[in-house]
Every structure is written in C-alpha cells, then in structure tokens.
Short mmCIF file of all heavy atoms in Angstrom, two decimals:
data_model
loop_
_atom_site.label_atom_id
_atom_site.label_comp_id
_atom_site.label_asym_id
_atom_site.label_seq_id
_atom_site.Cartn_x
_atom_site.Cartn_y
_atom_site.Cartn_z
N MET A 739 0.81 -1.23 0.01
CA MET A 739 0.00 0.03 -0.08
C MET A 739 0.88 1.21 0.01
O MET A 739 0.67 2.22 -0.69
CB MET A 739 -0.89 -0.05 1.27
CG MET A 739 -1.94 1.13 1.38
SD MET A 739 -3.01 0.89 -0.04
CE MET A 739 -4.18 2.32 0.11
N VAL A 740 1.97 1.29 0.73
CA VAL A 740 2.70 2.39 0.85
C VAL A 740 3.56 2.78 -0.41
O VAL A 740 3.51 3.80 -0.85
CB VAL A 740 3.82 2.26 2.02
CG1 VAL A 740 4.84 3.36 1.94
CG2 VAL A 740 3.19 2.15 3.23
N LEU A 741 3.80 1.58 -1.08
CA LEU A 741 4.60 1.79 -2.43
C LEU A 741 3.58 2.31 -3.49
O LEU A 741 3.91 3.19 -4.20
CB LEU A 741 5.09 0.42 -2.88
CG LEU A 741 5.75 0.44 -4.30
CD1 LEU A 741 6.99 1.22 -4.19
CD2 LEU A 741 6.19 -0.98 -4.62
N THR A 742 2.38 1.96 -3.44
CA THR A 742 1.37 2.58 -4.37
C THR A 742 1.16 3.91 -4.08
O THR A 742 1.15 4.70 -4.99
CB THR A 742 0.01 1.73 -4.18
OG1 THR A 742 0.19 0.41 -4.41
CG2 THR A 742 -1.05 2.26 -5.11
N VAL A 743 1.10 4.41 -2.85
CA VAL A 743 0.84 5.76 -2.53
C VAL A 743 2.14 6.62 -2.91
O VAL A 743 1.96 7.64 -3.52
CB VAL A 743 0.55 5.89 -1.06
CG1 VAL A 743 0.59 7.43 -0.66
CG2 VAL A 743 -0.80 5.34 -0.66
N ARG A 744 3.29 6.05 -2.69
CA ARG A 744 4.52 6.82 -3.11
C ARG A 744 4.72 6.79 -4.59
O ARG A 744 5.12 7.87 -5.00
CB ARG A 744 5.77 6.08 -2.41
CG ARG A 744 5.84 6.38 -0.95
CD ARG A 744 7.06 5.86 -0.38
NE ARG A 744 7.14 6.07 1.00
CZ ARG A 744 8.21 6.16 1.79
NH1 ARG A 744 9.31 6.17 1.11
NH2 ARG A 744 8.19 6.44 3.05
N CYS A 745 4.20 5.86 -5.29
CA CYS A 745 4.36 5.98 -6.70
C CYS A 745 3.31 6.90 -7.32
O CYS A 745 3.58 7.48 -8.37
CB CYS A 745 4.16 4.50 -7.33
SG CYS A 745 5.56 3.45 -7.02
N ALA A 746 2.14 7.02 -6.69
CA ALA A 746 1.07 7.85 -7.24
C ALA A 746 1.36 9.25 -6.84
O ALA A 746 0.85 10.19 -7.46
CB ALA A 746 -0.29 7.37 -6.78
N ARG A 747 2.16 9.53 -5.89
CA ARG A 747 2.33 10.94 -5.29
C ARG A 747 2.80 11.95 -6.47
O ARG A 747 2.33 13.07 -6.57
CB ARG A 747 3.27 10.99 -4.23
CG ARG A 747 3.42 12.29 -3.52
CD ARG A 747 4.24 12.12 -2.30
NE ARG A 747 4.57 13.50 -1.75
CZ ARG A 747 5.29 13.65 -0.84
NH1 ARG A 747 6.12 12.68 -0.24
NH2 ARG A 747 5.51 14.84 -0.37
N PRO A 748 3.88 11.57 -7.24
CA PRO A 748 4.19 12.55 -8.33
C PRO A 748 3.14 12.75 -9.39
O PRO A 748 2.98 14.00 -9.78
CB PRO A 748 5.40 11.92 -9.11
CG PRO A 748 5.76 10.89 -8.10
CD PRO A 748 4.76 10.47 -7.24
N ILE A 749 2.30 11.86 -9.64
CA ILE A 749 1.12 12.01 -10.55
C ILE A 749 0.07 13.07 -9.90
O ILE A 749 -0.35 13.96 -10.52
CB ILE A 749 0.49 10.71 -11.04
CG1 ILE A 749 1.62 9.80 -11.67
CG2 ILE A 749 -0.79 10.85 -11.79
CD1 ILE A 749 1.14 8.36 -11.90
N VAL A 750 -0.23 12.73 -8.72
CA VAL A 750 -1.11 13.58 -7.99
C VAL A 750 -0.65 15.10 -7.84
O VAL A 750 -1.30 16.08 -8.01
CB VAL A 750 -1.48 12.99 -6.64
CG1 VAL A 750 -2.28 14.03 -5.69
CG2 VAL A 750 -2.16 11.67 -6.72
N ASN A 751 0.70 15.20 -7.54
CA ASN A 751 1.25 16.44 -7.32
C ASN A 751 1.29 17.27 -8.70
O ASN A 751 0.88 18.44 -8.80
CB ASN A 751 2.75 16.37 -6.90
CG ASN A 751 2.82 16.07 -5.43
OD1 ASN A 751 1.83 16.21 -4.78
ND2 ASN A 751 4.00 15.72 -5.03
N TYR A 752 1.51 16.55 -9.85
CA TYR A 752 1.60 17.17 -11.12
C TYR A 752 0.05 17.64 -11.51
O TYR A 752 -0.13 18.71 -12.08
CB TYR A 752 2.04 16.20 -12.14
CG TYR A 752 2.00 16.74 -13.61
CD1 TYR A 752 2.90 17.72 -14.11
CD2 TYR A 752 0.97 16.39 -14.38
CE1 TYR A 752 2.81 18.23 -15.25
CE2 TYR A 752 0.90 16.94 -15.78
CZ TYR A 752 1.81 17.89 -16.13
OH TYR A 752 1.75 18.31 -17.35
N THR A 753 -0.79 16.72 -11.38
CA THR A 753 -2.18 17.10 -11.59
C THR A 753 -2.84 18.19 -10.86
O THR A 753 -3.39 19.08 -11.38
CB THR A 753 -3.16 15.70 -11.39
OG1 THR A 753 -2.63 14.61 -12.11
CG2 THR A 753 -4.53 16.06 -11.74
N ALA A 754 -2.45 18.30 -9.52
CA ALA A 754 -2.85 19.32 -8.74
C ALA A 754 -2.24 20.56 -9.15
O ALA A 754 -3.00 21.66 -9.27
CB ALA A 754 -2.50 18.98 -7.27
N SER A 755 -1.09 20.65 -9.54
CA SER A 755 -0.35 22.00 -9.97
C SER A 755 -0.97 22.35 -11.33
O SER A 755 -1.09 23.56 -11.58
CB SER A 755 1.07 21.71 -10.13
OG SER A 755 1.37 20.85 -11.14
N ARG A 756 -1.34 21.42 -12.11
CA ARG A 756 -1.95 21.81 -13.39
C ARG A 756 -3.33 22.34 -13.21
O ARG A 756 -3.71 23.40 -13.92
CB ARG A 756 -2.02 20.62 -14.33
CG ARG A 756 -0.76 20.09 -14.95
CD ARG A 756 -0.11 21.01 -15.96
NE ARG A 756 1.01 21.73 -15.28
CZ ARG A 756 1.53 22.86 -15.63
NH1 ARG A 756 1.03 23.48 -16.77
NH2 ARG A 756 2.37 23.56 -14.99
N LEU A 757 -4.01 21.77 -12.36
CA LEU A 757 -5.43 22.30 -12.01
C LEU A 757 -5.38 23.73 -11.44
O LEU A 757 -6.24 24.46 -11.67
CB LEU A 757 -6.17 21.26 -11.09
CG LEU A 757 -6.54 19.91 -11.81
CD1 LEU A 757 -7.19 19.04 -10.75
CD2 LEU A 757 -7.63 20.14 -12.99
N ILE A 758 -4.42 23.90 -10.47
CA ILE A 758 -4.34 25.16 -9.89
C ILE A 758 -3.94 26.22 -10.93
O ILE A 758 -4.52 27.34 -11.07
CB ILE A 758 -3.13 25.17 -8.73
CG1 ILE A 758 -3.71 24.37 -7.67
CG2 ILE A 758 -2.84 26.52 -8.32
CD1 ILE A 758 -2.67 24.10 -6.57
N PHE A 759 -2.97 25.85 -11.80
CA PHE A 759 -2.70 26.78 -12.92
C PHE A 759 -3.88 27.04 -13.83
O PHE A 759 -4.14 28.22 -14.17
CB PHE A 759 -1.51 26.25 -13.81
CG PHE A 759 -1.21 27.10 -15.04
CD1 PHE A 759 -0.43 28.17 -14.88
CD2 PHE A 759 -1.67 26.64 -16.26
CE1 PHE A 759 -0.14 28.91 -16.03
CE2 PHE A 759 -1.39 27.40 -17.36
CZ PHE A 759 -0.65 28.52 -17.32
N LEU A 760 -4.74 26.05 -14.10
CA LEU A 760 -5.90 26.29 -14.91
C LEU A 760 -6.83 27.20 -14.24
O LEU A 760 -7.46 28.04 -14.87
CB LEU A 760 -6.56 24.88 -15.22
CG LEU A 760 -7.83 24.89 -16.10
CD1 LEU A 760 -7.55 25.46 -17.46
CD2 LEU A 760 -8.39 23.57 -16.13
N GLU A 761 -6.99 26.99 -12.82
CA GLU A 761 -8.00 27.76 -12.24
C GLU A 761 -7.51 29.23 -12.20
O GLU A 761 -8.35 30.25 -12.29
CB GLU A 761 -8.21 27.29 -10.72
CG GLU A 761 -9.47 27.89 -10.12
CD GLU A 761 -9.16 28.35 -8.75
OE1 GLU A 761 -8.25 27.99 -8.20
OE2 GLU A 761 -10.13 28.97 -8.18
N LEU A 762 -6.22 29.46 -11.97
CA LEU A 762 -5.79 30.74 -11.95
C LEU A 762 -5.84 31.48 -13.25
O LEU A 762 -6.29 32.60 -13.37
CB LEU A 762 -4.18 30.79 -11.51
CG LEU A 762 -3.86 30.50 -10.01
CD1 LEU A 762 -2.47 30.32 -9.82
CD2 LEU A 762 -4.60 31.49 -9.05
N TRP A 763 -5.60 30.70 -14.31
CA TRP A 763 -5.88 31.28 -15.71
C TRP A 763 -7.33 31.70 -15.89
O TRP A 763 -7.65 32.75 -16.34
CB TRP A 763 -5.39 30.23 -16.65
CG TRP A 763 -5.67 30.67 -18.17
CD1 TRP A 763 -4.99 31.43 -18.83
CD2 TRP A 763 -6.76 30.34 -18.89
NE1 TRP A 763 -5.43 31.65 -20.06
CE2 TRP A 763 -6.65 30.88 -20.13
CE3 TRP A 763 -7.86 29.41 -18.70
CZ2 TRP A 763 -7.64 30.77 -21.17
CZ3 TRP A 763 -8.79 29.36 -19.72
CH2 TRP A 763 -8.63 29.94 -20.95
N ALA A 764 -8.13 30.74 -15.44
CA ALA A 764 -9.63 31.08 -15.61
C ALA A 764 -10.13 32.23 -14.78
O ALA A 764 -10.94 33.12 -15.17
CB ALA A 764 -10.51 29.76 -15.30
N ALA A 765 -9.55 32.36 -13.52
CA ALA A 765 -9.90 33.37 -12.67
C ALA A 765 -9.43 34.79 -13.31
O ALA A 765 -10.14 35.78 -13.22
CB ALA A 765 -9.29 33.15 -11.32
N GLN A 766 -8.34 34.77 -13.88
CA GLN A 766 -7.72 35.84 -14.52
C GLN A 766 -8.67 36.30 -15.75
O GLN A 766 -8.97 37.50 -15.98
CB GLN A 766 -6.26 35.73 -14.89
CG GLN A 766 -5.67 36.97 -15.60
CD GLN A 766 -4.32 36.68 -16.02
OE1 GLN A 766 -3.83 35.56 -16.20
NE2 GLN A 766 -3.51 37.70 -16.21
N ARG A 767 -8.99 35.35 -16.52
CA ARG A 767 -9.87 35.72 -17.66
C ARG A 767 -11.31 36.15 -17.34
O ARG A 767 -11.83 36.94 -17.90
CB ARG A 767 -10.03 34.48 -18.63
CG ARG A 767 -8.72 33.96 -19.18
CD ARG A 767 -8.33 34.84 -20.31
NE ARG A 767 -7.00 34.42 -20.96
CZ ARG A 767 -5.98 35.08 -20.86
NH1 ARG A 767 -5.78 36.17 -20.18
NH2 ARG A 767 -4.81 34.62 -21.44
N LEU A 768 -11.82 35.50 -16.26
CA LEU A 768 -13.18 35.92 -15.84
C LEU A 768 -13.28 37.00 -14.87
O LEU A 768 -14.23 37.64 -14.58
CB LEU A 768 -13.87 34.69 -15.17
CG LEU A 768 -14.04 33.42 -16.08
CD1 LEU A 768 -14.52 32.26 -15.17
CD2 LEU A 768 -15.08 33.79 -17.19
N GLY A 769 -12.07 37.44 -14.22
CA GLY A 769 -12.12 38.49 -13.40
C GLY A 769 -12.60 38.34 -12.04
O GLY A 769 -13.12 39.14 -11.25
N ARG A 770 -12.42 37.16 -11.57
CA ARG A 770 -12.91 36.72 -10.27
C ARG A 770 -11.67 36.18 -9.45
O ARG A 770 -10.75 35.76 -9.99
CB ARG A 770 -13.98 35.65 -10.23
CG ARG A 770 -13.58 34.43 -10.78
CD ARG A 770 -14.51 33.21 -10.59
NE ARG A 770 -14.07 32.01 -11.02
CZ ARG A 770 -13.35 31.19 -10.46
NH1 ARG A 770 -12.79 31.49 -9.19
NH2 ARG A 770 -12.85 30.06 -10.97
N PRO A 771 -11.72 36.28 -8.06
CA PRO A 771 -10.66 35.77 -7.23
C PRO A 771 -10.59 34.20 -7.40
O PRO A 771 -11.62 33.50 -7.49
CB PRO A 771 -10.99 36.19 -5.86
CG PRO A 771 -12.51 36.41 -5.84
CD PRO A 771 -12.78 36.81 -7.19
N PRO A 772 -9.39 33.57 -7.38
CA PRO A 772 -9.14 32.15 -7.26
C PRO A 772 -9.67 31.54 -6.03
O PRO A 772 -9.18 31.89 -4.90
CB PRO A 772 -7.65 31.86 -7.38
CG PRO A 772 -7.09 33.28 -7.05
CD PRO A 772 -8.09 34.30 -7.18
N ILE A 773 -10.65 30.77 -5.98
CA ILE A 773 -11.28 30.25 -4.77
C ILE A 773 -10.39 29.16 -4.14
O ILE A 773 -10.31 28.99 -2.90
CB ILE A 773 -12.61 29.71 -5.08
CG1 ILE A 773 -13.71 30.78 -5.60
CG2 ILE A 773 -13.27 28.90 -3.85
CD1 ILE A 773 -14.93 30.45 -6.06
N SER A 774 -9.75 28.26 -5.03
CA SER A 774 -8.99 27.24 -4.52
C SER A 774 -7.79 27.70 -3.52
O SER A 774 -7.38 27.00 -2.61
CB SER A 774 -8.41 26.31 -5.58
OG SER A 774 -7.48 27.09 -6.34
N GLY A 775 -7.26 28.90 -3.79
CA GLY A 775 -6.25 29.56 -2.96
C GLY A 775 -6.66 29.63 -1.50
O GLY A 775 -6.00 29.42 -0.66
N PHE A 776 -7.94 30.16 -1.33
CA PHE A 776 -8.46 30.43 -0.07
C PHE A 776 -8.78 29.04 0.61
O PHE A 776 -8.47 28.88 1.82
CB PHE A 776 -9.79 31.09 -0.07
CG PHE A 776 -9.62 32.57 -0.73
CD1 PHE A 776 -10.41 32.85 -1.83
CD2 PHE A 776 -8.59 33.50 -0.33
CE1 PHE A 776 -10.17 34.15 -2.38
CE2 PHE A 776 -8.39 34.51 -0.90
CZ PHE A 776 -9.35 34.99 -1.97
N ILE A 777 -9.40 28.04 0.02
CA ILE A 777 -9.67 26.72 0.52
C ILE A 777 -8.35 25.95 0.83
O ILE A 777 -8.15 25.45 1.82
CB ILE A 777 -10.58 25.95 -0.49
CG1 ILE A 777 -11.95 26.62 -0.68
CG2 ILE A 777 -10.75 24.47 -0.08
CD1 ILE A 777 -12.70 26.17 -1.67
N GLY A 778 -7.40 26.00 -0.11
CA GLY A 778 -6.14 25.35 0.07
C GLY A 778 -5.42 25.83 1.29
O GLY A 778 -4.80 25.06 1.87
N ALA A 779 -5.41 27.19 1.55
CA ALA A 779 -4.62 27.62 2.56
C ALA A 779 -5.21 27.20 3.95
O ALA A 779 -4.49 26.77 4.78
CB ALA A 779 -4.72 29.25 2.54
N GLY A 780 -6.48 27.19 4.08
CA GLY A 780 -7.16 26.63 5.16
C GLY A 780 -6.86 25.27 5.51
O GLY A 780 -6.60 24.73 6.64
N ILE A 781 -6.97 24.37 4.46
CA ILE A 781 -6.65 22.97 4.50
C ILE A 781 -5.16 22.71 4.87
O ILE A 781 -4.83 21.91 5.82
CB ILE A 781 -6.95 22.26 3.10
CG1 ILE A 781 -8.49 22.24 2.94
CG2 ILE A 781 -6.50 20.80 3.29
CD1 ILE A 781 -8.98 21.63 1.64
N THR A 782 -4.35 23.47 4.34
CA THR A 782 -2.87 23.30 4.56
C THR A 782 -2.73 23.74 6.10
O THR A 782 -1.81 22.96 6.71
CB THR A 782 -1.96 24.25 3.65
OG1 THR A 782 -2.30 23.85 2.43
CG2 THR A 782 -0.52 24.16 3.99
N ASP A 783 -3.23 24.74 6.50
CA ASP A 783 -3.05 25.12 7.93
C ASP A 783 -3.54 23.99 8.93
O ASP A 783 -2.87 23.76 9.84
CB ASP A 783 -3.70 26.56 8.23
CG ASP A 783 -3.16 27.65 7.58
OD1 ASP A 783 -1.85 27.60 7.19
OD2 ASP A 783 -3.80 28.69 7.35
N GLU A 784 -4.67 23.44 8.53
CA GLU A 784 -5.18 22.50 9.44
C GLU A 784 -4.27 21.11 9.45
O GLU A 784 -4.05 20.48 10.42
CB GLU A 784 -6.65 22.00 8.93
CG GLU A 784 -7.15 21.03 9.85
CD GLU A 784 -7.43 21.43 11.23
OE1 GLU A 784 -7.61 22.70 11.51
OE2 GLU A 784 -7.29 20.61 12.15
N PHE A 785 -3.73 20.74 8.28
CA PHE A 785 -2.83 19.73 8.20
C PHE A 785 -1.52 19.97 9.00
O PHE A 785 -1.08 19.11 9.82
CB PHE A 785 -2.36 19.41 6.79
CG PHE A 785 -3.23 18.51 6.05
CD1 PHE A 785 -3.92 18.93 4.77
CD2 PHE A 785 -3.71 17.37 6.52
CE1 PHE A 785 -4.75 18.14 4.07
CE2 PHE A 785 -4.66 16.49 5.84
CZ PHE A 785 -5.16 16.89 4.67
N VAL A 786 -1.06 21.06 8.93
CA VAL A 786 0.27 21.51 9.79
C VAL A 786 -0.12 21.42 11.22
O VAL A 786 0.65 20.88 12.00
CB VAL A 786 0.72 22.85 9.29
CG1 VAL A 786 1.70 23.37 10.35
CG2 VAL A 786 1.31 22.84 7.90
N ALA A 787 -1.23 21.89 11.67
CA ALA A 787 -1.65 21.94 13.05
C ALA A 787 -1.81 20.52 13.45
O ALA A 787 -1.41 20.04 14.53
CB ALA A 787 -2.93 22.74 13.17
N GLU A 788 -2.47 19.63 12.66
CA GLU A 788 -2.68 18.23 13.07
C GLU A 788 -1.32 17.46 13.05
O GLU A 788 -1.28 16.73 14.07
CB GLU A 788 -3.57 17.54 12.04
CG GLU A 788 -3.82 16.13 12.32
CD GLU A 788 -4.60 15.92 13.58
OE1 GLU A 788 -5.40 16.75 13.94
OE2 GLU A 788 -4.45 14.84 14.25
N PHE A 789 -0.43 17.88 12.25
CA PHE A 789 0.89 17.15 12.26
C PHE A 789 1.60 17.50 13.58
O PHE A 789 2.20 16.65 14.28
CB PHE A 789 1.77 17.46 11.05
CG PHE A 789 3.13 17.13 11.11
CD1 PHE A 789 3.50 15.88 10.88
CD2 PHE A 789 4.13 18.04 11.47
CE1 PHE A 789 4.71 15.44 10.92
CE2 PHE A 789 5.51 17.70 11.53
CZ PHE A 789 5.80 16.35 11.19
N HIS A 790 1.56 18.80 13.96
CA HIS A 790 2.31 19.28 15.16
C HIS A 790 1.59 18.62 16.45
O HIS A 790 2.29 18.28 17.29
CB HIS A 790 2.34 20.67 15.32
CG HIS A 790 3.31 21.35 14.21
ND1 HIS A 790 4.66 21.09 14.33
CD2 HIS A 790 3.07 22.25 13.23
CE1 HIS A 790 5.23 21.76 13.42
NE2 HIS A 790 4.32 22.40 12.70
N ARG A 791 0.30 18.65 16.40
CA ARG A 791 -0.38 17.78 17.56
C ARG A 791 0.00 16.48 17.71
O ARG A 791 0.35 15.97 18.72
CB ARG A 791 -1.92 17.96 17.44
CG ARG A 791 -2.43 19.33 17.78
CD ARG A 791 -3.99 19.35 17.91
NE ARG A 791 -4.64 18.88 16.69
CZ ARG A 791 -5.09 19.76 15.81
NH1 ARG A 791 -5.00 21.11 15.96
NH2 ARG A 791 -5.64 19.31 14.72
N ALA A 792 0.11 15.75 16.58
CA ALA A 792 0.41 14.27 16.56
C ALA A 792 1.89 14.18 17.03
O ALA A 792 2.18 13.27 17.76
CB ALA A 792 0.20 13.80 15.17
N ARG A 793 2.71 15.03 16.51
CA ARG A 793 4.13 14.81 16.83
C ARG A 793 4.31 15.17 18.31
O ARG A 793 5.11 14.48 18.97
CB ARG A 793 4.95 15.78 15.99
CG ARG A 793 6.52 15.57 16.13
CD ARG A 793 7.18 16.49 15.26
NE ARG A 793 7.08 17.76 15.88
CZ ARG A 793 7.73 18.84 15.36
NH1 ARG A 793 8.34 18.83 14.35
NH2 ARG A 793 7.59 20.11 15.92
N GLN A 794 3.68 16.19 18.86
CA GLN A 794 3.79 16.40 20.29
C GLN A 794 3.19 15.35 21.13
O GLN A 794 3.89 15.05 22.12
CB GLN A 794 3.18 17.81 20.59
CG GLN A 794 3.40 18.30 21.92
CD GLN A 794 2.62 19.65 22.16
OE1 GLN A 794 1.66 19.92 21.52
NE2 GLN A 794 3.19 20.47 22.98
N HIS A 795 2.11 14.76 20.71
CA HIS A 795 1.47 13.69 21.42
C HIS A 795 2.43 12.51 21.51
O HIS A 795 2.54 11.72 22.50
CB HIS A 795 0.08 13.37 20.77
CG HIS A 795 -0.62 12.31 21.73
ND1 HIS A 795 -1.11 12.42 22.97
CD2 HIS A 795 -0.75 11.14 21.28
CE1 HIS A 795 -1.65 11.34 23.27
NE2 HIS A 795 -1.48 10.48 22.40
N ALA A 796 3.10 12.25 20.37
CA ALA A 796 3.94 11.07 20.18
C ALA A 796 5.21 11.10 21.18
O ALA A 796 5.62 10.18 21.77
CB ALA A 796 4.34 10.76 18.86
N THR A 797 5.69 12.40 21.31
CA THR A 797 6.98 12.58 22.08
C THR A 797 6.53 12.54 23.68
O THR A 797 7.44 12.18 24.38
CB THR A 797 7.63 13.92 21.82
OG1 THR A 797 6.76 14.97 21.97
CG2 THR A 797 8.07 13.89 20.31
N THR A 798 5.37 12.87 23.93
CA THR A 798 4.99 12.92 25.35
C THR A 798 4.72 11.47 25.96
O THR A 798 4.67 11.24 27.14
CB THR A 798 3.82 13.81 25.62
OG1 THR A 798 2.60 13.40 24.83
CG2 THR A 798 4.18 15.27 25.37
N ASN A 799 4.46 10.67 25.09
CA ASN A 799 4.15 9.27 25.47
C ASN A 799 5.28 8.26 25.52
O ASN A 799 5.18 7.13 25.86
CB ASN A 799 3.02 8.54 24.55
CG ASN A 799 1.73 9.11 24.63
OD1 ASN A 799 1.35 9.82 25.72
ND2 ASN A 799 0.88 9.14 23.62
N VAL A 800 6.42 8.72 25.42
CA VAL A 800 7.52 7.97 25.34
C VAL A 800 8.03 7.63 26.86
O VAL A 800 7.94 8.20 27.71
CB VAL A 800 8.82 8.66 24.57
CG1 VAL A 800 10.05 7.84 24.82
CG2 VAL A 800 8.37 8.74 23.24
#
C-alpha cells in the first residue's frame, strides 16, 4: 500500500499543480478571485496543526 501511494504521489502533485494553474488562468480571464487558494490555505493550515499535535503527542508518550 505504501509503495502504491509513493508511486502515485508525483502524478497527484503534477495533476494538482496543473489544476491550480488552470484555475488561476480562468480566474484571470473571468475577473474573479481564485477560490482554491482560499480553500487550500485553510486545509494546509489544518494539516500542519494536526501534524504538530500528533508529533507532540507522540513525544510525550515515550
């Protein structure tokens, strides 16, 4: 399972970057703000916070 996820990661990263580029292009053409930037920033912040909580919890149980 881990190998599958690691092999798929570059494909997912490439697809995500292409979709972000497409959305930014469309937002520029339509004159509206890019929505995924706002959503993505919130999701990224939550992942970082969860990572730090899990790391801190793991070190206190040793």
Side-chain angles (χ1 to χ4, degrees):
M739 185 68 182
V740 172
L741 180 62
T742 305
V743 171
R744 286 187 182 208
C745 290
R747 187 175 177 188
I749 297 167
V750 171
N751 287 344
Y752 176 77
T753 304
S755 64
R756 293 288 104 199
L757 289 174
I758 290 170
F759 176 77
L760 179 64
E761 196 224 353
L762 289 174
W763 176 82
Q766 184 181 19
R767 297 284 182 246
L768 296 173
R770 62 167 185 81
I773 297 170
S774 67
F776 301 127
I777 295 170
I781 291 172
T782 301
D783 290 342
E784 184 57 35
F785 276 127
V786 169
E788 180 64 29
F789 172 76
H790 288 299
R791 279 192 300 266
R793 191 179 70 181
Q794 187 178 29
H795 182 68
T797 58
T798 57
N799 286 337
V800 174

